[in-house]
Amino acid sequence: MCFLRRSGALVSRICWRMLRQVIHRGLKSSFYKLGLFISRHPVFFLTVPAVLTIIFGFSFLSRYKTESDLEALVAPSHSLAKIERSLASSLFPLDQSKKQLYSDLHTPGRYGRVILLSKPGGNILTQAQHILQIHKAVLEMKDGRQSFIGHQLGGVAEVPNSKDQRVKSARAIQITYYLQNYGSVIQDHISEQWEREFCTLMHQLQEEHPEIQLYTLTSVSLLKDFQKTIDLSRGTIVVSLMLILMAATISSSMKDCLRSKPFLGILGVLTICISSLTAAGIFFVTDGRYNSTLLGIPFFAMGHGTKGVFELLSGWRRTRETLPFKDRVADAYSDVMVSYTMTSSLYIITFGMGASPFTNIESVRIFCQNMCITIILNYFYVFSFYGSCLVFAGQLEQNRYHSIFCCKIPSEEYLDRQPIWFQTMMSDGHQHSTHHEPDPYENHFIQHFLREHYNEWITNTYVKPFVVILYLIYASFSFMGCLQISGGSNILNLLASDSPSVSYALIQQKYFSNYSPVIGFYIYEPLEYWNSTVQEDLKTISYGFNTESWIEQYYHYLKASNISASNKTDFINVLQNVFLRRTEFQHFKNDIIISKSSDELNIIASRMYLVARTSENTQREVVELLEKLRPLSLIQSIKFIVFNPTFVFMDHYGLAVTMPVLISGFSVLLVLILTFFLVIHPLGNFWLIITVISIELGVLGLMTLWNVDMDCVSIMCLIYTLNFAIDHCSPLLYTFVLATEHTRTLCIQDSLKEHGTAIIQNVVCFVIGLVPLLFVPSNLTSTLFKCLLLTGSCTILHCFVILPVFLTFFPPSKKRHKKKRRAKRKEREEIECIEIQENPDHVTAV
């Protein structure tokens, strides 16, 4: 019985292996036919992508639009704060609050803010005359709306031993001008014009009052400074492209003027550029709007597309020179396109998950949509446009044309009679090849370095302990960083670093961070305010806050006036007919909603304002405060909501960590499913998943240690890291798993020789292209640079240091291949012995 079970399991395992072999060989055969078809019709496959680029490229230029709503872009689409705002707006419309200081509690509204900062050691209170002049100039502006002014002092020093906390001096003062706007398009346009003139006026007043520093902020400042990165990065993209072209040209070149392919390196980069341009055109044709977060797409596309380009070039160099160039192209497709198709499919699936309606952040969803289109077009352009270029280059090589000058390479006899410089330029490398190097392509400098120096060094017994120690250090720092992940609720991470919004926020953080933003506290159901139990519950909830409340003022008024209002009728009558008619309490009318039904008055809703004492880390403390207040509204008998416009952005914090983890987890599962039928040995899947998890956690931890928050940009970079790691590690691992050498060391050396050149070429081009981002004064590009640099560094560390060492003493074992070779050798020796016995005359020859 046990024997039958074992034999059944063996048969099942053999059947699965045969199925995988059939699928794998079927895919390779299909791509061989595709390569052969492209090599027979290169003009068609060169023309169609070019025509598509021309058509959609013009549409890209004509339909270019930028995003105009920052909140819709970076705030969660289905956040609880938006529901709270909708409820608050329905209870207390904005036009009912026009006489309140906090009139922008429901929406950011239209406003102009200015911080007046004295010189170091100065006192802003002594500059009252200049402050009044600035204030008067603002009120006298053309088309100015009715404004409401709130004053705050920052950097306050109190009089020593003062019982009433008298202010001795203050370093800064903040003034806010709220504009009336009832939703009319004309009024909104006037308000926007007022904000622009307000900024211009502040710039002029700064020159007139050099003794005071002015920092301004308006309702559209965040959006302008967010989109400012676009203008700052245009030159950077061009410089990055030039650097990538130069790196691709150098890395594709050889001393051999016949087999050197510098133009294929250039054409490979240009292939990715025109495919990305076509994808951008399609995005704008479908009414897409550009925003600064899409700046990462060219770098993401280049990292994946050039990998396919360099793998195709390496696949061409692995083919036999004796074959016709069309067959060589087909062989290259058969060798490379299975892996490239698998990784491209993974990109599409992963970013497709991010582009689904389940993604709660609009900027991430738009980015993933655009990325899916770009990857699809990259794949199409690589096997069509670049494949056609490979066909023409192969034809030139077969006809012995110079790879740069496109002229016939002269014979060796002719070269021997020419000067040295001419021989160097026109040499085809045959005289440099020896019996140890029958393949002229092995003279490529990266291939030569890996084969002659690096492979032997990294697999040396004395190097392996240091690699293990290096990995332990890497894992320790990664784990330590993962424990310190911080949320990306700070919108400043997406702005240009030298923008007015950032300058204003830094000064406000320094001098006005002692208190949180004003929080609206809305009671949205009828409540027995006259009940002592309800009064105690309200005091408990608002304990620890500075409050601006009609309830508190009303209770003090009743107590000071010795008025009894212990029942509903008395409470509401005194409130409506006495309290709210007094001049000092009239502004509370907008905080109470009283309805009349059946000759009975009821308070159906009310509101008050809370301000919490905070430290310098206001942003984080407000997030924690929000997380505590919301559950409290479910526990308490009083039904309330809390809201401030900044809460819409703070809801991002909880999603920032979970989104990349979920997408990464699903993607790793999909890798396992997709590669199950393509890999003959299951340990290839295991090693790939372990490697990808190690790289993903490494990038996540190290970017946290590098002060990178989890915002929408870093989320997209983490999703890309997963794909980038699989893109580079999977060919290396699968070649190792399927290798049939005697030992693991020989197998990993062959894997590095086969794929190491393409990996180095791509990662070097990728990292060099990131360097210009360092010189863009933007927090967004800084985040992009740090995350992508860590992605490239961790990937190449695993491909060339960690995996070559770990695979030499971990499964899969290569003993079965060794046994097979021994059996074949033994069988061959037996056959030779039989032949010798049958033909004793041939002993000497044998």
Side-chain angles (χ1 to χ4, degrees):
M1 193 71 176
C2 183
F3 173 75
L4 290 175
R5 288 179 181 176
R6 289 180 180 176
S7 61
L10 181 62
V11 170
S12 177
R13 195 180 303 118
I14 293 173
C15 290
W16 275 113
R17 183 176 297 177
M18 290 176 63
L19 178 62
R20 290 180 189 136
Q21 289 177 345
V22 169
I23 294 174
H24 194 268
R25 290 174 181 173
L27 288 172
K28 293 190 73 171
S29 175
S30 300
F31 283 113
Y32 180 88
K33 294 176 182 177
L34 175 64
L36 206 58
F37 183 73
I38 291 173
S39 64
R40 291 170 179 170
H41 307 87
V43 177
F44 174 78
F45 285 98
L46 192 70
T47 306
V48 171
V51 171
L52 288 177
T53 302
I54 293 172
I55 293 172
F56 289 103
F58 282 114
S59 66
F60 166 72
L61 297 175
S62 61
R63 294 175 179 265
Y64 178 85
K65 295 179 182 178
T66 56
E67 184 61 53
S68 58
D69 190 349
L70 182 61
E71 180 187 304
L73 197 64
V74 300
S77 304
H78 307 290
S79 68
L80 184 58
K82 289 185 177 181
I83 300 173
E84 293 167 343
R85 178 175 64 189
S86 177
L87 180 57
S89 299
S90 64
L91 292 173
F92 300 95
L94 189 61
D95 58 352
Q96 292 183 8
S97 309
K98 61 184 180 181
K99 294 183 180 178
Q100 293 296 322
L101 173 64
Y102 314 113
S103 60
D104 65 334
L105 266 180
H106 302 162
T107 62
R110 291 288 187 180
Y111 60 84
R113 286 179 182 151
V114 59
I115 293 179
L116 296 91
L117 180 68
S118 64
K119 291 184 177 180
N123 184 359
I124 195 66
L125 300 179
T126 62
Q127 306 289 338
Q129 183 178 359
H130 298 293
I131 295 173
L132 291 175
Q133 289 176 359
I134 293 171
H135 173 58
K136 183 179 179 182
V138 173
L139 296 182
E140 291 177 352
M141 285 174 58
K142 270 187 177 183
D143 295 325
R145 316 309 295 164
Q146 184 178 350
S147 56
F148 307 99
I149 307 149
H151 306 275
Q152 288 180 322
L153 292 178
V156 175
E158 298 178 357
V159 176
N161 302 322
S162 174
K163 295 181 180 180
D164 54 354
Q165 295 182 333
R166 294 176 60 190
V167 176
K168 179 181 179 181
S169 65
R171 181 73 196 281
I173 185 172
Q174 179 177 249
I175 305 176
T176 304
Y177 301 90
Y178 295 103
L179 306 181
Q180 290 184 8
N181 188 1
Y182 305 123
S184 169
V185 176
I186 298 176
Q187 285 191 349
D188 188 71
H189 179 72
I190 294 173
S191 299
E192 185 178 356
Q193 181 66 26
W194 186 92
E195 289 179 358
R196 285 197 292 265
E197 293 182 3
F198 174 78
C199 294
T200 304
L201 177 64
M202 289 298 110
H203 183 72
Q204 295 174 356
L205 293 174
Q206 176 66 83
E207 297 178 354
E208 296 175 7
H209 302 278
E211 64 280 354
I212 301 177
Q213 294 177 329
L214 303 179
Y215 298 89
T216 59
L217 182 75
T218 64
S219 62
V220 296
S221 294
L222 290 177
L223 178 61
K224 287 183 178 179
D225 295 336
F226 171 70
Q227 301 289 28
K228 187 179 179 181
T229 304
I230 301 173
D231 300 326
L232 295 173
S233 304
R234 284 173 181 166
T236 303
I237 298 295
V238 177
V239 175
S240 295
L241 178 59
M242 294 298 107
L243 291 175
I244 293 172
L245 284 171
M246 183 175 64
T249 304
I250 294 173
S251 64
S252 302
S253 301
M254 296 173 59
K255 289 182 179 180
D256 188 336
C257 70
L258 177 64
R259 298 165 186 85
S260 179
K261 297 290 183 290
F263 284 120
L264 279 184
I266 296 174
L267 289 170
V269 175
L270 292 180
T271 299
I272 309 305
C273 290
I274 62 176
S275 67
S276 301
L277 183 64
T278 309
I282 294 174
F283 175 70
F284 286 109
V285 165
T286 55
D287 203 26
R289 292 179 178 270
Y290 188 80
N291 64 79
S292 293
T293 59
L294 298 178
L295 180 66
I297 285 184
F299 299 95
F300 285 21
M302 195 65 68
H304 172 62
T306 50
K307 177 61 167 56
V309 164
F310 289 128
E311 281 287 0
L312 265 180
L313 187 54
S314 295
W316 167 268
R317 286 171 172 159
R318 287 194 294 269
T319 57
R320 289 181 297 164
E321 279 193 304
T322 55
L323 291 174
F325 70 91
K326 293 182 180 181
D327 293 334
R328 293 183 69 184
V329 171
D331 282 341
Y333 271 63
S334 173
D335 187 23
V336 172
M337 290 304 291
V338 174
S339 174
Y340 187 61
T341 302
M342 184 191 71
T343 53
S344 297
S345 301
L346 182 66
Y347 270 89
I348 295 169
I349 292 172
T350 308
F351 284 102
M353 292 169 59
S356 68
F358 298 103
T359 301
N360 204 16
I361 301 176
E362 187 68 12
S363 61
V364 176
R365 193 176 65 83
I366 293 173
F367 184 94
C368 291
Q369 287 177 349
N370 206 336
M371 194 66 192
C372 285
I373 298 172
T374 304
I375 293 298
I376 291 172
L377 287 174
N378 272 3
Y379 180 78
F380 171 71
Y381 273 62
V382 165
F383 80 72
S384 59
F385 186 86
Y386 187 74
S388 301
C389 297
L390 192 63
V391 171
F392 290 121
Q395 188 174 8
L396 291 175
E397 181 178 333
Q398 181 173 304
N399 295 329
R400 295 188 56 78
Y401 277 88
H402 198 283
S403 61
I404 299 177
F405 304 117
C406 295
C407 60
K408 275 280 188 178
I409 297 176
S411 62
E412 292 185 25
E413 294 78 10
Y414 178 81
L415 283 175
D416 291 338
R417 299 193 300 267
Q418 301 302 317
I420 299 296
W421 65 267
F422 188 83
Q423 293 182 19
T424 305
M425 290 178 62
M426 304 300 292
S427 171
D428 63 352
H430 274 300
Q431 63 270 27
H432 299 295
S433 60
T434 65
H435 63 282
H436 297 294
E437 296 177 341
D439 185 2
Y441 289 110
E442 292 188 356
N443 288 318
H444 187 275
F445 65 98
I446 300 178
Q447 189 82 4
H448 178 80
F449 170 75
L450 292 175
R451 185 182 71 255
E452 299 295 334
H453 305 287
Y454 186 79
N455 287 352
E456 294 292 337
W457 177 80
I458 195 62
T459 54
N460 191 297
T461 307
Y462 299 102
V463 175
K464 292 179 182 179
F466 294 99
V467 173
V468 174
I469 294 172
L470 175 65
Y471 183 74
L472 292 176
I473 295 172
Y474 165 84
S476 301
F477 277 97
S478 302
F479 181 72
M480 182 171 61
C482 290
L483 296 178
Q484 302 176 21
I485 296 174
S486 58
S489 56
N490 195 348
I491 195 66
L492 299 181
N493 293 336
L494 303 176
L495 307 182
S497 55
D498 61 347
S499 60
S501 299
V502 173
S503 302
Y504 179 92
L506 293 176
I507 295 298
Q508 188 183 50
Q509 180 73 17
K510 185 176 182 180
Y511 294 104
F512 300 94
S513 61
N514 294 331
Y515 294 93
S516 70
V518 178
I519 301 171
F521 183 91
Y522 301 87
I523 302 171
Y524 57 86
E525 69 174 9
L527 198 64
E528 296 180 354
Y529 295 95
W530 51 90
N531 192 319
S532 59
T533 304
V534 173
Q535 295 173 14
E536 289 299 323
D537 290 342
L538 288 172
K539 287 181 181 179
T540 302
I541 295 173
S542 60
Y543 178 76
F545 291 92
N546 293 333
T547 61
E548 176 70 17
S549 169
W550 69 271
I551 303 172
E552 189 177 307
Q553 294 293 329
Y554 185 45
Y555 292 155
H556 284 306
Y557 173 78
L558 293 175
K559 187 176 181 180
S561 303
N562 198 19
I563 299 174
S564 176
S566 58
N567 57 65
K568 177 181 178 181
T569 305
D570 294 341
F571 187 90
I572 296 178
N573 283 335
V574 175
L575 173 66
Q576 193 174 26
N577 299 322
V578 181
F579 178 76
L580 294 178
R581 291 188 177 184
R582 295 180 66 90
T583 306
E584 64 269 29
F585 302 127
Q586 283 183 358
H587 61 279
F588 287 128
K589 286 183 179 180
N590 294 321
D591 295 341
I592 309 167
I593 299 178
I594 301 175
S595 69
K596 186 176 182 180
S597 61
S598 303
D599 297 328
E600 186 178 11
L601 297 176
N602 295 294
I603 302 176
I604 61 173
S606 68
R607 68 178 175 184
M608 60 183 179
Y609 303 104
L610 308 177
V611 179
R613 183 86 179 184
T614 59
S615 63
E616 290 186 1
N617 192 8
T618 309
Q619 197 81 18
R620 177 61 187 149
E621 291 188 18
V622 173
V623 172
E624 293 176 353
L625 181 66
L626 183 60
E627 292 173 350
K628 291 177 181 177
L629 282 174
R630 279 176 174 168
L632 198 62
S633 66
L634 302 176
I635 299 172
Q636 293 287 340
S637 58
I638 299 174
K639 302 302 179 183
F640 68 90
I641 58 172
V642 289
F643 181 74
N644 181 278
T646 58
F647 290 177
V648 176
F649 297 101
M650 291 179 183
D651 276 346
H652 183 187
Y653 176 75
L655 299 168
V657 179
T658 57
M659 179 180 294
V661 173
L662 290 175
I663 292 179
S664 301
F666 279 118
S667 301
V668 169
L669 183 63
L670 287 170
V671 172
L672 185 63
I673 296 171
L674 283 173
T675 57
F676 182 77
F677 296 102
L678 300 178
V679 182
I680 297 174
H681 203 298
L683 279 175
N685 289 15
F686 172 78
W687 271 110
L688 179 61
I689 292 171
I690 292 296
T691 305
V692 169
I693 291 174
S694 177
I695 295 173
E696 184 83 2
L697 293 178
V699 172
L700 178 60
L702 294 176
M703 80 178 196
T704 304
L705 296 179
W706 205 355
N707 299 322
V708 178
D709 289 338
M710 288 291 291
D711 52 32
C712 59
V713 176
S714 55
I715 288 173
M716 294 180 292
C717 289
L718 284 173
I719 297 173
Y720 179 72
T721 299
L722 174 84
N723 295 278
F724 191 85
I726 293 174
D727 212 353
H728 290 74
C729 297
S730 57
L732 192 70
L733 284 167
Y734 293 152
T735 303
F736 169 80
V737 168
L738 300 177
T740 57
E741 297 295 334
H742 288 301
T743 62
R744 297 190 187 98
T745 301
L746 291 175
C747 289
I748 192 62
Q749 287 178 354
D750 283 351
S751 300
L752 286 174
K753 282 192 291 185
E754 187 168 337
H755 299 287
T757 302
I759 294 173
I760 290 177
Q761 284 177 303
N762 190 53
V763 174
V764 168
C765 291
F766 181 70
V767 172
I768 286 178
L770 298 175
V771 172
L773 291 178
L774 275 174
F775 303 97
V776 179
S778 173
N779 296 329
L780 188 149
T781 55
S782 176
T783 300
L784 196 65
F785 171 79
K786 291 177 180 179
C787 293
L788 294 184
L789 179 64
L790 289 173
T791 297
S793 302
C794 291
T795 301
I796 204 165
L797 175 70
H798 281 73
C799 287
F800 285 93
V801 179
I802 295 171
L803 284 178
V805 171
F806 280 50
L807 289 174
T808 56
F809 45 79
F810 281 117
S813 174
K814 300 297 179 181
K815 289 182 179 180
R816 66 179 189 278
H817 301 303
K818 194 172 184 179
K819 289 179 181 178
K820 288 180 180 178
R821 288 177 179 268
R822 285 179 178 175
K824 289 181 180 179
R825 188 166 59 249
K826 186 176 180 181
E827 182 180 354
R828 188 168 59 250
E829 289 175 354
E830 289 176 354
I831 293 172
E832 289 176 354
C833 289
I834 293 172
E835 290 178 351
I836 291 171
Q837 291 175 3
E838 291 178 351
N839 300 302
D841 296 336
H842 294 168
V843 172
T844 306
V846 174

